[in-house]
Amino acid sequence: MSLPVTPKPPLRRFHQARWDEPIVFELHASGERGVVPGQVEPEVRAVVGDVLTGLPDGLRRAEAPGLPEIGQMRVLKHYLRLSQENLGADLNVDIGQGTCTMKYSPKVNDRLAAHLGLTELHPLQDPADAQGVLEIFWRTQRMLAEISGMAEVGLHTQGGSAAIWANIAMIRAYFEHRGEAAQRTEVITTIFSHPSNAAAAKAAGYDVITIYPDPDGYPDIEALRRALSPRTAAIMVTNPEDTGIYNPRIAEWVDLAHSVGALASYDQANANGILGITRARDAGFDVCHFNLHKTFGTPHGCGGPGAGANGVAEHLVPFLPRPIVVQREDGSFRLDDDRPLSIGKVAPFYGVVPNIARAYAWIRALGADGLRAVAETAVLNNNYLLHRVLQIPGASAPYATGRRRIEQVRYSWQELSEQTGISSEEIGVRASDYGMHYWTSHHPYVVPQPFTLEPTESYSMAELDEYVAVLAEVARQAREEPDVVRTAPHRQTVHHTHHDDLDDPERWVTSWRAYRRKYFAEGQ
């Protein structure tokens, strides 16, 4: 049954604030104070003095740090102005950050994460006095074990790539323990799996073999058969892939890996469309990971904070990062650090407490039925969006033509670009003039002129229609007013930039002080 024709919504009259706000160091005014501390008691001064006297010379500053001196009111204005120069999931229709799963993060969970019992908890607190947070961790481990089908879950890693690194580190430790490390030198992945899988495997010392799609757009199982050998340590795959295509023969992939003695690692960063529907262990995987900051409703703007979770089958439990939270027979909880086969610590202390607490609350609030409803709604939203985007002249969805996708789609503007000379990057920049944006793709581009959209379960039909209307308008402009698109943005905080600056390392600076030294000869 075809979907009804949706009336085109009016385009929003958007204009981003532009304050030309200096960075905080440039607001410095000698003598200004945000807080004037009281006098330190003599007894405290004496203790601090003794401590400082005992410090090695290399740890004592010769002079005070060069921090900006600014009054409270100016600090408030500064950060409010910066906040007005941003787009984000709580402000705009943020479906353009495909593969990042920019869903709504419930604000009530932020209140939980801000609880003093969490924010004031010191990482070296005696576990006997931290039973509440340890119980949250333990219950989150058990819920994620049920969601994935795995025997045990660790919450050590602080992001998705860190979790992938832990996966390959456990795989390497497993084969070292079996005496097969010298034999197992190769890892197989697919071109549309997250690049961190290949990167982590390479960093761990493996040769990486990449499988491309077959003529139907699915991961090529015949190419996998040819690549597998006694040298294979693991397959490391994302499913559904970043194209939104789910590999229906994934259990066969796992069986083929096991047939040569290799392990199977499941990157579940794209799990938002399969929660409660399929599980990693049910397909035979030995190890998997989740991104709590994607799938489980915890915010992750500007690259952080993240939180990873690593699930393993029984035979890999001894290799999990240590410590893990375990429950004693009396019902209390402790940190189990006596794990001789563990790969050790992969981050300081144990996990990203605020995001683990948010994920715990999110899962508990939804329950099993709610998690499945999340997946079903995300898939429905994505396939509605797919239908609407493909109505825009010049847009396409390469691979698995005519098939439904799971939770995202990697689209292409190739036809539009060939007709107009306008690139996908230029269309994305022009979309920001309407309060929208999108991400193109990992590099190098396999899908030509790509853009990747993931609507999640959070957005309404009206919001999806508004987003499509912006894309359709910019596509029209690319044909009829191409200079408007080429010179964008016009109503944004930032101005049009040229890639020459980004491609010339000689012009790069990594800090404000380095910028002042390089371009103003300060401090030289």
Side-chain angles (χ1 to χ4, degrees):
M1 183 178 70
S2 61
L3 293 170
V5 176
T6 304
K8 181 179 178 181
L11 294 176
R12 193 179 297 272
R13 294 182 61 193
F14 171 82
H15 200 297
Q16 186 84 37
R18 182 170 181 173
W19 287 97
D20 291 332
E21 182 70 5
I23 67 172
V24 70
F25 284 95
E26 294 180 320
L27 296 176
H28 167 83
S30 297
E32 276 196 23
R33 292 289 185 272
V35 176
V36 179
Q39 292 295 315
V40 178
E41 294 85 344
E43 297 83 1
V44 175
R45 186 184 295 274
V47 172
V48 172
D50 290 342
V51 171
L52 294 178
T53 301
L55 285 176
D57 290 340
L59 295 181
R60 285 186 291 184
R61 287 184 176 274
E63 56 187 36
L67 300 177
E69 299 174 14
I70 313 171
Q72 285 189 20
M73 189 174 185
R74 289 214 297 155
V75 170
L76 178 64
K77 290 177 181 176
H78 173 69
Y79 286 105
L80 283 176
R81 288 168 178 170
L82 293 182
S83 73
Q84 292 176 3
E85 295 183 329
N86 280 285
L87 298 175
D90 290 343
L91 191 63
N92 62 297
V93 183
D94 198 20
I95 68 174
Q97 201 68 18
T99 82
C100 287
T101 318
M102 301 299 289
K103 62 172 67 183
Y104 176 67
S105 300
K107 301 311 163 211
V108 66
N109 294 350
D110 290 345
R111 294 187 64 183
L112 169 65
H115 191 282
L116 290 178
L118 297 175
T119 60
E120 298 298 312
L121 184 69
H122 194 281
L124 296 179
Q125 181 80 27
D126 188 329
D129 300 326
Q131 288 295 293
V133 71
L134 291 182
E135 181 173 357
I136 288 174
F137 275 51
W138 182 81
R139 291 188 180 279
T140 304
Q141 289 172 185
R142 297 321 308 153
M143 290 188 295
L144 293 174
E146 177 63 25
I147 291 168
S148 64
M150 292 296 182
E152 188 58 86
V153 170
L155 301 175
H156 229 287
T157 49
Q158 298 186 350
S161 294
I164 292 172
W165 168 256
N167 286 347
I168 191 61
M170 288 188 281
I171 290 167
R172 182 174 60 183
Y174 171 82
F175 284 118
E176 287 173 348
H177 181 65
R178 291 170 59 90
E180 298 180 34
Q183 170 192 334
R184 305 283 178 178
T185 60
E186 296 175 351
V187 166
I188 299 171
T189 188
T190 67
I191 191 62
F192 289 123
S193 290
H194 280 127
S196 294
N197 290 279
K202 190 68 175 178
Y206 290 97
D207 296 326
V208 177
I209 299 172
T210 302
I211 304 296
Y212 280 72
D214 65 19
D216 293 325
Y218 294 99
D220 191 335
I221 196 167
E222 297 307 319
L224 174 67
R225 294 182 201 274
R226 293 190 295 271
L228 286 166
S229 76
R231 297 186 301 276
T232 307
I235 60 170
M236 301 183 71
V237 295
T238 309
N239 192 43
E241 297 192 296
D242 283 356
T243 54
I245 296 171
Y246 186 88
N247 181 358
R249 304 180 72 177
I250 191 64
E252 292 181 63
W253 275 60
V254 173
D255 289 344
L256 286 169
H258 289 163
S259 71
V260 297
L263 297 180
S265 176
Y266 196 167
D267 174 350
Q268 295 197 103
N270 296 341
N272 203 53
I274 59 175
L275 291 173
I277 297 172
T278 183
R279 306 191 304 174
R281 189 57 182 159
D282 293 345
F285 279 94
D286 305 284
V287 57
C288 71
H289 88 273
F290 291 111
N291 291 12
L292 301 186
H293 55 284
K294 290 186 178 184
T295 310
F296 294 95
T298 73
H300 58 291
C302 300
N310 295 85
V312 293
E314 195 67 46
H315 52 286
L316 289 181
V317 170
F319 303 95
L320 274 170
R322 62 176 176 83
I324 63 170
V325 180
V326 297
Q327 188 176 35
R328 297 187 178 99
E329 290 185 2
D330 65 2
S332 63
F333 302 93
R334 67 181 179 88
L335 290 170
D336 179 13
D337 206 23
D338 184 16
R339 307 178 65 82
L341 294 180
S342 168
I343 62 172
K345 286 183 173 290
V346 293
F349 307 113
Y350 188 78
V352 182
V353 174
N355 273 7
I356 292 170
R358 289 183 177 98
Y360 166 79
W362 192 81
I363 297 169
R364 288 293 301 269
L366 286 166
D369 291 341
L371 291 178
R372 186 179 180 106
V374 163
E376 291 172 344
T377 307
V379 173
L380 178 64
N381 275 355
N382 187 51
N383 283 280
Y384 174 75
L385 186 68
L386 172 63
H387 170 79
R388 293 298 319 282
V389 170
L390 293 184
Q391 292 177 334
I392 303 173
S396 64
Y399 300 108
T401 304
R403 312 282 176 85
R404 300 194 188 280
R405 308 298 173 95
I406 304 297
E407 85 308 349
Q408 65 183 297
V409 178
R410 181 153 297 159
Y411 298 93
S412 174
W413 287 120
Q414 182 179 19
E415 180 184 336
L416 182 69
S417 181
E418 290 173 350
Q419 293 170 352
T420 65
I422 299 294
S423 69
S424 179
E425 290 94 337
E426 290 170 320
I427 293 171
V429 170
R430 176 57 175 157
S432 71
D433 283 332
Y434 297 93
M436 310 296 183
H437 81 101
Y438 66 62
W439 176 68
T440 53
S441 168
H442 304 105
H443 289 272
Y445 290 166
V446 178
V447 172
Q449 300 299 329
F451 61 111
T452 310
L453 308 182
E454 182 182 6
T456 78
E457 74 279 9
S458 298
Y459 294 95
S460 68
M461 181 183 291
E463 289 174 309
L464 300 183
D465 289 340
E466 180 182 1
Y467 192 95
V468 172
V470 169
L471 294 185
E473 172 61 15
V474 177
R476 181 199 66 77
Q477 293 172 358
R479 286 190 168 87
E480 300 176 14
E481 307 171 74
D483 286 344
V484 171
V485 180
R486 288 194 182 95
T487 55
H490 306 288
R491 300 195 294 265
Q492 259 293 341
T493 297
V494 296
H495 55 78
H496 185 80
T497 58
H498 296 281
H499 282 275
D500 293 349
D501 293 337
L502 304 178
D503 296 334
D504 182 5
E506 293 299 318
R507 304 191 67 177
W508 297 353
V509 288
T510 56
S511 71
W512 175 76
R513 289 191 177 91
Y515 169 74
R516 302 295 299 184
R517 285 196 301 270
K518 190 163 195 172
Y519 291 103
F520 295 91
E522 291 184 359
Q524 296 182 0

